Amino acid sequence: MSGVKCTPLKGALLPQVLDSVDCLLFDCDGVIWRGDEAIPGAPQVINLLKERGKRVFFVTNNSSKTRKMYADKLQALGFNAKEDEVFGTAYCSAMYLKTVCGLQGGKVYLVGSNAMSQELEAVGIQQTGVGPDHIHGKQGDWAAVELDPDVKAVLVGFDDHFSYMKLNRAFQYLTQRDCLFVGTNRDTRLPLEAGKAVPGTGCLLQAVETAAQRQAQTVGKPNHFMFDCVASQFGVDPSRCLMVGDRLDTDIMLGSNCGLKTLLTLTGVNTVADAEVHQKSGSAERQGMVPDYYVESIADLLPALQG
């Protein structure tokens, strides 16, 4: 196989690349589905890969759903998928706090979703903070806001109830230097249909970091911990893994950080032109955002899987 990066994956190269891997990691939105509709051909690709004996996993920075919620959506859209094949940041942040931080017997102040709460509780970690937290009292009282003495960590994910009082409460916990600080991911935008977008978790995380004057440890892509979760549970060999995604700064960078082969699909956020800008930049760091291969859609893998 050629050592040239950003190569179209087609023709004789396609079966060569697929034969060189045992495991494929797929981002979800923009790769295998858009919104509530599967990318045409995507379910067939996933199901045929599994029939050919490949291990398939789904890795997403979205922290608003549990693994079960993702597995249910995958199955409803026609994908042969199981709950333990899904690695979202709600689950991975819970695992990070449990396994890396060794959080035992303490609570988490959660700026996040009900899904994150469920994943924390599933690994035996209690939380406080889910839901609205409205301003009360006078401004002079806010620094003395009531804090739970059992809280040992602040975890920030996507929270549609994010507010000034939540920011303040997280800040007050983080003034305690032994309080752990973890974020799900740094994605500043959530892309929507028709080129629209809304602010992402990274905006909320940066607000807390700015207030606390501390930097969080993030667990989502492109941080290697997300791959570590997969590798530790399933014993996969990074040299025989392919990361498939639509974002250069998260999906492709994750693959580069972990020594995986990388494939950009053009059904989501980034383009080949975006990758070429990084490739020509002369920056060593930006080379990590240049994929090994690209396809218009993962449906382009079908010719090597059918027949």
Side-chain angles (χ1 to χ4, degrees):
M1 288 177 284
S2 169
V4 178
K5 299 196 83 175
C6 211
T7 301
L9 187 57
K10 59 184 180 180
L13 183 60
L14 175 54
Q16 288 179 39
V17 170
L18 290 180
D19 286 345
S20 74
V21 298
D22 305 315
C23 167
L24 296 93
L25 281 66
F26 287 88
D27 178 46
C28 295
D29 200 24
V31 177
I32 62 173
W33 65 52
R34 285 198 201 96
D36 292 322
E37 293 187 6
I39 297 285
Q44 295 95 310
V45 168
I46 299 299
N47 299 343
L48 284 169
L49 283 167
K50 289 190 165 191
E51 287 178 19
R52 294 290 184 93
K54 306 293 186 185
R55 284 180 164 175
V56 174
F57 301 99
F58 306 94
V59 290
T60 172
N61 275 359
N62 189 326
S63 62
S64 66
K65 292 182 175 66
T66 63
R67 302 177 95 187
K68 184 180 186 308
M69 291 164 71
Y70 265 107
D72 289 346
K73 178 175 181 176
L74 285 158
Q75 292 162 11
L77 292 177
F79 295 91
N80 172 12
K82 297 182 294 184
E83 186 176 336
D84 67 355
E85 295 169 337
V86 177
F87 290 82
T89 51
Y91 169 75
C92 289
S93 57
M95 290 300 294
Y96 183 85
L97 285 164
K98 180 182 179 181
T99 61
V100 177
C101 299
L103 190 65
Q104 306 246 346
K107 284 185 185 177
V108 168
Y109 177 64
L110 177 59
V111 179
S113 63
N114 281 315
M116 294 177 67
S117 170
Q118 292 171 41
E119 295 288 19
L120 285 168
E121 289 168 3
V123 300
I125 298 175
Q126 292 183 297
Q127 64 77 35
T128 181
V130 168
D133 190 357
H134 302 297
I135 287 180
H136 47 81
K138 297 179 181 180
Q139 188 173 14
D141 300 328
W142 296 345
V145 67
E146 183 179 356
L147 300 179
D148 187 327
D150 293 329
V151 165
K152 305 299 181 189
V154 170
L155 172 60
V156 179
F158 185 75
D159 188 343
D160 52 12
H161 293 293
F162 189 73
S163 64
Y164 180 84
M165 192 52 70
K166 284 199 168 191
L167 174 61
N168 174 55
R169 206 178 293 272
F171 162 69
Q172 300 300 338
Y173 280 118
L174 289 167
T175 59
Q176 305 165 26
R177 302 311 298 176
D178 59 347
C179 183
L180 301 168
F181 187 15
V182 177
T184 56
N185 63 288
R186 296 189 178 277
D187 300 20
T188 54
R189 287 185 166 198
L190 297 177
L192 304 176
E193 293 295 313
K196 295 182 179 181
V198 294
T201 300
C203 298
L204 312 187
L205 183 59
Q206 284 180 31
V208 179
E209 288 180 324
T210 301
Q213 297 183 2
R214 290 177 59 179
Q215 187 168 30
Q217 174 62 53
T218 51
V219 300
K221 299 174 291 184
N223 188 289
H224 64 81
F225 181 75
M226 185 164 268
F227 177 73
D228 292 345
C229 276
V230 179
S232 64
Q233 293 182 33
F234 291 91
V236 297
D237 176 358
S239 69
R240 293 192 60 82
C241 287
L242 178 68
M243 176 69 219
V244 186
D246 68 313
R247 292 184 67 141
L248 301 174
D249 60 342
T250 55
D251 303 321
I252 303 307
M253 184 64 92
L254 172 73
S256 298
N257 287 344
C258 299
L260 320 180
K261 299 176 179 68
T262 54
L263 173 64
L264 175 70
T265 177
L266 304 179
T267 48
V269 172
N270 284 123
T271 65
V272 174
D274 295 332
E276 289 173 343
V277 169
H278 292 305
Q279 193 169 28
K280 296 171 183 175
S281 69
S283 163
E285 182 179 355
R286 290 175 67 182
Q287 296 310 305
M289 290 186 275
V290 182
D292 295 314
Y293 313 103
Y294 70 87
V295 288
E296 290 294 325
S297 162
I298 67 163
D300 293 352
L301 304 185
L302 280 172
L305 298 171
Q306 292 173 324

